[in-house]
Amino acid sequence: ENTLGGTIHANFDLQIQHNLFIVAEHDFRVRHCLVALPGTKKENLSKIISHPQGLAQCDSYIKNLGVSSEAAYDTAGSAKLIAEGKLESVAAICSELAATSYGLEVLESGIEDDPHNFTRFLLLRNSPVRVAASTPCKTSIAFSLEDSTGALFKALSVFALRDISLSKIESRPCKPDVMKRLQRLFWSVSGSWDAVQVAKSSGDFKDSRAGYPY
């Protein structure tokens, strides 16, 4: 997920689908560059290509430039498409490293709309990691609730009453074959898995469908 472009929802869906566990995370400062074939001038550009997240993170810059944009499969892949296809008047939004790797010229650096542009990358594996309760950590959960008055409030209160800080909550559409409920909610909380398990077994939250913790 990115501080400017938001969550990449497909990744969360795939994580549940394949039953993977988060074991670490890394916040990476993203710095985007506008790159093109050597000799290209910005005023001659007709199109900018990049991954949808790259385009979203540079949306204001692209609009001010007055050039159309087109989504591609990857930021570095966009640079590769331009280099291999020798696409004139087309620029890519990618890293300086990608530009160097594919022999492209950097027309402008630091074009992201906000200097606080960070992407959170996750390290996944097939089994969870258990840590001591005293170790500062974060636990994420995917769960669904019955459609009843105050169900979400009651589930949230279980964590609040135990001083477990909720850092993020997000509702997602749910396919019937995933949880057989109308929606699932992704949580990130500050606390160990053991602490979350205590809360999970308490009060109204114990009736939720939380079979896909990570």
Side-chain angles (χ1 to χ4, degrees), residues 56-157:
Q57 293 163 28
C58 305
D59 183 62
S60 295
Y61 175 85
I62 296 172
K63 289 179 179 177
N64 291 333
L65 205 59
V67 179
S68 64
S69 61
E70 181 179 303
Y73 69 94
D74 189 30
T75 50
S78 302
K80 181 180 180 181
L81 289 173
I82 292 175
E84 292 184 347
K86 301 190 182 304
L87 304 180
E88 298 181 353
S89 74
V90 178
I93 292 176
C94 62
S95 67
E96 186 175 352
L97 176 61
T100 301
S101 299
Y102 294 108
L104 300 182
E105 180 180 346
V106 176
L107 305 183
E108 191 171 349
S109 301
I111 65 171
E112 58 274 7
D113 292 339
D114 193 298
H116 302 289
N117 185 21
F118 288 84
T119 295
R120 183 171 72 117
F121 291 92
L122 303 177
L123 178 63
L124 307 175
R125 76 177 201 177
N126 293 325
S127 58
V129 171
R130 301 294 295 271
V131 297
S134 58
T135 302
C137 62
K138 182 189 294 183
T139 300
S140 297
I141 315 164
F143 73 99
S144 66
L145 296 166
E146 296 288 353
D147 184 13
S148 61
T149 303
L152 179 58
F153 170 78
K154 293 174 183 177
L156 292 174
S157 65

Side-chain angles (χ1 to χ4, degrees), residues 42 136 177 202:
K42 281 198 296 183
D177 61 337
S202 306

